[in-house]
Amino acid sequence: MKLLVYVVVLLTCTGTCFSANDRLLVNMTIVRSAADIGAYCLDGSLPAYHIHRGFGAGARNWLLQFEGGGWCNDIESCAARAQTRRGSTRFMNKLETFSGILSNNASRNPDFYNWNRVKIRYCDGGSFAGDATHDDGKLVLYFRGQRIWQAIIEDLLPKGLSHANKALLSGCSAGGLASYLHCNNFTNYLPNTTAVKCLGDAGFFLDSPDITKNHTQRTFFQQLVTLQGIEKNLDESCTSSISDPKQCIFPQYLLKYITSPFFILNSAYDVYQFHHILVPPSADLRGHWNRCKLDPKACLPAQLHILQGFRVEMLTALRSFLFNSTRGGVFINSCFSHCQSESQDTWFAPDSPQIHNETIAESVGDWYFGRNVSKKIDCPYPCDTTCHNLIGTGSTNDLSQINS
């Protein structure tokens, strides 16, 4: 009987709902005005977001979270994606769970629980940065991520965003990359009096060769930028200062041109980067790395040596930011995970990952509110005993949508 009642509640609620497990479920808002500027998902459906209103002292503060979900970099993979929730709002759940950084519970999200919190749904396959159309007479695909971003912001401004006291633009994975790409633009929409900061969770994708010395991720991103018309939307200061402007989609080249305070949340052994940048399937045809990918304890000494070298490469790419940025924050732990801000277990819980006895939520809060210097680098694997090594979750949550 309880199950029946629960199902009925989910089917009949029209706004914010709470399940029997006290999960915060937030209804979808379709952006009807998006059609006016041609802001469509891959399949031509209208974009959407979920909003849970702030209250009390947080009523005029805003947190926007880009949803992640990989990319598509050719017509075939984008056409397939358009028939899923990653390319169409028609296939998305109309209720979305808000947890971690999106939670409205002070004991689970102490610094942002009472803010206006928005989850921006991902349906363009290009980190909200493309502006192109494919139409061969048989198939139409809309690469309109930049317009989707614009349409959603313009829909939120009259709902209170235009009067924000504080604002945080965040995102996870491909959404984390979007936070890097759109941080400066977000600032331009808001008053000069708004304290604007940005957070990239698992979005610091490295321009690094794989184990066979091929630049698999660079090639993938170049094809993505070309197909979806992203280059014209990349930061002009970056594109004008680099030999290949397409490279500015990589955070390591873009970071120094981001003017707002930025927080980098990443694992040094991020499972996307491990499985698709360092050891993509094309570089391990015989599966020598399969056991290591499934369980870091099964890695051979030579494989661990390569992983440790990859960690050093990430820290080297961050060196200037670590030592020269006075307003930036960093939390680089040694967990085999991917995306840590939206999951309650990794964001803020009794057994959450920690560096120097501080959780991710505490570190981000200290940085945003200026309570403490928050640049934390974990010791190399396997020294951290607080990790949630979510290899299985990480490798299927976001990565299964990636054409590699």
Side-chain angles (χ1 to χ4, degrees):
M1 182 62 69
K2 289 182 179 179
L3 177 61
L4 178 61
V5 171
Y6 171 56
V7 172
V8 171
V9 169
L10 290 185
L11 290 175
T12 58
C13 70
T14 57
T16 299
C17 305
F18 293 88
S19 79
N21 295 322
D22 196 32
R23 288 191 305 152
L24 176 62
L25 299 169
V26 182
N27 205 31
M28 176 184 284
T29 299
I30 298 291
V31 184
R32 304 294 176 187
S33 60
D36 297 339
I37 60 170
Y40 301 115
C41 299
L42 282 171
D43 72 330
S45 58
L46 293 174
Y49 61 84
H50 303 253
I51 180 171
H52 190 256
R53 287 291 188 172
F55 56 93
R60 292 188 62 180
N61 300 334
W62 287 76
L63 187 155
L64 276 61
Q65 175 85 350
F66 284 116
E67 182 180 28
W71 311 272
C72 61
N73 70 337
D74 57 38
I75 297 302
E76 182 181 5
S77 63
C78 290
R81 187 182 178 99
Q83 301 302 312
T84 73
R85 65 186 179 91
R86 296 302 191 190
S88 173
T89 50
R90 295 187 179 102
F91 300 104
M92 292 180 181
N93 294 330
K94 300 306 182 283
L95 293 172
E96 188 69 7
T97 300
F98 274 30
S99 63
I101 196 171
L102 295 174
S103 172
N104 68 331
N105 188 320
S107 66
R108 301 174 185 173
N109 186 25
D111 285 308
F112 306 106
Y113 72 97
N114 60 354
W115 287 31
N116 297 283
R117 285 150 291 108
V118 179
K119 184 164 187 176
I120 302 175
R121 299 308 298 267
Y122 185 33
C123 65
D124 64 277
S127 284
F128 299 88
D131 192 4
T133 307
H134 167 81
D135 186 352
D136 61 8
K138 297 180 181 179
L139 174 68
V140 179
L141 292 171
Y142 297 92
F143 305 120
R144 303 287 179 84
Q146 184 74 23
R147 300 192 203 189
I148 289 172
W149 159 246
Q150 177 186 342
I152 288 176
I153 288 294
E154 292 179 353
D155 198 65
L156 290 171
L157 286 171
K159 295 181 178 180
L161 180 60
S162 62
H163 302 292
N165 289 332
K166 295 180 175 64
L168 176 62
L169 181 67
S170 64
C172 153
S173 191
L177 177 60
S179 296
Y180 288 92
L181 297 176
H182 291 295
C183 186
N184 286 343
N185 183 242
F186 183 51
T187 303
N188 294 337
Y189 279 106
L190 300 176
N192 294 331
T193 54
T194 306
V196 182
K197 300 187 180 184
C198 304
L199 161 68
D201 176 9
F204 195 81
F205 298 101
L206 280 176
D207 178 24
S208 175
D210 62 34
I211 56 173
T212 62
K213 307 303 180 184
N214 289 318
H215 282 271
T216 304
Q217 190 68 22
R218 180 188 296 178
T219 300
F220 183 94
F221 271 173
Q222 287 175 336
Q223 293 169 349
L224 172 69
V225 170
T226 300
L227 176 70
Q228 297 215 18
I230 291 174
E231 185 174 329
K232 60 178 174 275
N233 295 322
L234 296 174
D235 186 270
E236 291 183 4
S237 297
C238 180
T239 57
S240 63
S241 64
I242 194 169
S243 58
D244 183 0
K246 295 183 182 68
Q247 296 295 85
C248 290
I249 195 172
F250 282 101
Q252 67 196 82
Y253 306 121
L254 172 64
L255 189 57
K256 65 180 178 181
Y257 301 104
I258 297 176
T259 55
S260 294
F262 205 98
F263 192 99
I264 298 172
L265 167 60
N266 234 94
S267 166
Y269 308 94
D270 180 280
V271 293
Y272 168 75
Q273 304 210 44
F274 176 14
H275 293 184
H276 293 268
I277 295 180
L278 181 61
V279 192
S282 60
D284 185 34
L285 297 177
R286 296 186 177 182
H288 294 306
W289 283 77
N290 287 351
R291 291 184 62 203
C292 180
K293 283 183 174 182
L294 291 172
D295 180 5
K297 294 179 182 178
C299 296
L300 299 174
Q303 293 172 327
L304 280 176
H305 180 74
I306 292 172
L307 282 168
Q308 303 298 13
F310 191 74
R311 171 184 177 271
V312 171
E313 188 172 356
M314 176 177 287
L315 297 181
T316 301
L318 285 169
R319 183 178 178 83
S320 178
F321 184 81
L322 288 168
F323 291 101
N324 299 330
S325 173
T326 59
R327 300 186 299 163
V330 175
F331 193 101
I332 305 292
N333 60 11
S334 294
C335 306
F336 285 79
S337 59
H338 184 68
C339 290
Q340 300 179 87
S341 62
E342 292 180 349
S343 169
Q344 197 61 56
D345 288 344
T346 49
W347 173 248
F348 191 67
D351 62 345
S352 288
Q354 298 182 22
I355 301 179
H356 304 317
N357 297 316
E358 189 169 62
T359 64
I360 295 169
E362 290 168 329
S363 189
V364 172
D366 283 351
W367 161 76
Y368 189 94
F369 293 100
R371 294 189 295 248
N372 199 359
V373 175
S374 192
K375 289 184 179 179
K376 294 180 170 57
I377 306 294
D378 210 352
C379 50
Y381 173 83
C383 73
D384 190 338
T385 60
T386 70
C387 279
H388 288 222
N389 289 328
L390 304 176
I391 287 277
T393 301
S395 60
T396 58
N397 175 33
D398 184 64
L399 316 185
S400 61
Q401 304 298 326
I402 296 170
N403 173 32
S404 56

